[in-house]
Amino acid sequence: MGQQVLQGRLHTLEFEQIFQLSQGNLKEALVGELKALGYKPKSRKGYLYASGELPVMLIAHMDTVHRQLVQHICYTEDGRVMMSPEGIGGDDRAGVYMILRILQGAKCHVLFCEDEEIGGQGARKFERSSIRPEVNYLIELDRHGGNDAVFYGCNNREFIKFICGFGFEEARGSFSDISVVAPHLDVAAVNISAGYYNEHRQHEYVRLDQMEENISRVREIVLTSTERFAYRGLYSSPSTGGFWGEELTLWNMRFSSRKEPKPLMELSDNARLMMGSHEMGGGRSHYIDRKGNVYLYLHELGAAVLIDGACAYSDTGEPLSFDSRLAQDTRIMEYDEAMELLRAG
């Protein structure tokens, strides 16, 4: 079986359970796993955090884009690749598993976030918490492929050199939880490949051998003594303290200055959202206007914000059209106002 490719076992969870549980049930199971590892986890709305001994924080998210829970898991004959007809959810259940394995030999701080796929909602809740661990850097395990290191808006070249010194190659990305957490904690961060491919699609698959290799490499990284790597943004926003990377990110948004309600059509679960060549996930909590512009609806505020550069497509790849019969007047907010209200929480 595929698990034979993996070299370690967990304490309370079975490997396949990580891919099969709902987000809520996985969160509960992770509490037990962390306790078995000697942690005292804090389960809060939006995230699960546990303080460690090493000055590094590992991060992964517990949600996936797939609507149906995994029922069947298949492996290739050599046991190196796993997949599911329901969509395996390697993004980011692979990262969750890898962190649990790394913690067995390196007691780092750990943060498991909810709802990354709908705009980093769990990371936003962590940002508004009073938890501020003193760590030297952050590592998220939420990147496709086997050898990528993505730094988003963080431009600390010493940190980039340190991470790439373990054989990883610097790559570009659009958004992950560290896009929120790193500037909040003012510490450098990287997103490392977790071995999954074709994320956000039914034919997603996970390379177990690459997971295993990167478990070893990340464990080596966190056990290497370093100084603290500060967060150095490419560009700073004086009003929000946020960052703008060299490329468009999910939260690199220009928001409409309109204050009056605007007709928006809610997207179905089958809608595909694209930002350039990157697929952002399903259409849940997303809307389009008459011109096809995409909005993210913030339930906490009862308002929508414009995602500049995003496009919505059907599951067959056709651009979605606005239907006024399905539209409803929706409140639109500017970025600064929305972020201030979310921070105030």
Side-chain angles (χ1 to χ4, degrees), residues 117-282:
E117 298 290 0
I118 55 173
Q121 297 301 305
R124 292 285 173 186
K125 289 182 173 65
F126 178 81
E127 179 190 28
R128 299 196 296 272
S129 76
S130 61
I131 300 173
R132 293 188 65 91
E134 294 184 5
V135 295
N136 291 341
Y137 56 88
L138 315 175
I139 293 181
E140 184 157 17
L141 292 159
D142 181 29
R143 172 68 176 181
H144 65 237
N147 202 46
D148 286 357
V150 181
F151 300 90
Y152 304 106
C154 181
N155 194 34
N156 186 320
R157 300 311 301 180
E158 292 84 4
F159 179 63
I160 294 172
K161 181 179 179 180
F162 169 67
I163 294 296
C164 293
F166 291 85
F168 292 104
E169 296 183 1
E170 184 177 0
R172 292 177 177 270
S174 58
F175 176 85
S176 69
D177 289 316
I178 58 171
S179 302
V180 176
V181 180
H184 166 62
L185 296 180
D186 191 28
V187 66
V190 62
N191 190 6
I192 295 291
S193 288
Y196 61 75
Y197 293 82
N198 295 332
E199 65 273 17
H200 300 176
R201 297 170 175 84
Q202 292 299 114
H203 56 284
E204 180 185 14
Y205 64 91
V206 180
R207 284 280 304 271
L208 302 184
D209 55 335
Q210 292 182 350
M211 282 175 51
E212 188 66 40
E213 179 183 359
N214 286 353
I215 288 169
S216 297
R217 284 204 281 177
V218 173
R219 185 182 289 122
E220 182 181 0
I221 291 173
V222 303
L223 291 175
T224 301
S225 180
T226 70
E227 299 296 324
R228 184 178 185 274
F229 293 102
Y231 180 86
R232 295 175 185 166
L234 292 167
Y235 304 100
S236 295
S237 167
S239 62
T240 66
F243 68 90
W244 310 108
E246 291 178 316
E247 60 189 285
L248 197 62
T249 72
L250 179 57
W251 287 97
N252 184 356
M253 302 173 184
R254 293 198 298 259
F255 291 85
S256 169
S257 61
R258 294 171 54 116
K259 293 294 185 180
E260 67 273 16
K262 184 175 184 178
L264 298 180
M265 184 188 80
E266 186 173 9
L267 300 182
S268 71
D269 289 345
N270 294 326
R272 296 177 59 191
L273 300 179
M274 302 294 297
M275 185 175 288
S277 61
H278 176 75
E279 186 166 355
M280 296 163 49

Side-chain angles (χ1 to χ4, degrees), residues 26-74:
L26 176 62
K27 186 179 182 181
E28 292 180 9
L30 288 174
V31 170
E33 187 69 25
L34 289 173
K35 287 181 178 178
L37 287 166
Y39 284 91
K40 296 180 180 179
K42 297 179 180 180
S43 181
R44 302 290 186 265
K45 185 176 181 180
Y47 62 90
L48 174 62
Y49 169 77
S51 177
E53 298 172 356
L54 292 175
V56 178
M57 186 156 74
L58 303 178
I59 303 175
H61 66 86
M62 297 177 285
D63 63 320
T64 77
V65 302
H66 303 295
R67 302 292 179 256
Q68 185 177 355
L69 294 180
V70 171
Q71 301 294 326
H72 308 91
I73 295 179
C74 309

Side-chain angles (χ1 to χ4, degrees), residues 119 121 124 127-128 180 239-242 244 251 253 255 296 298 301 305 333-345:
Q121 297 301 305
R124 292 285 173 186
E127 179 190 28
R128 299 196 296 272
V180 176
S239 62
T240 66
W244 310 108
W251 287 97
M253 302 173 184
F255 291 85
L296 173 67
L298 302 174
L301 304 181
V305 290
M333 294 188 69
E334 293 183 0
Y335 172 77
D336 289 349
E337 182 183 2
M339 291 302 103
E340 287 177 6
L341 290 172
L342 286 173
R343 290 176 190 276

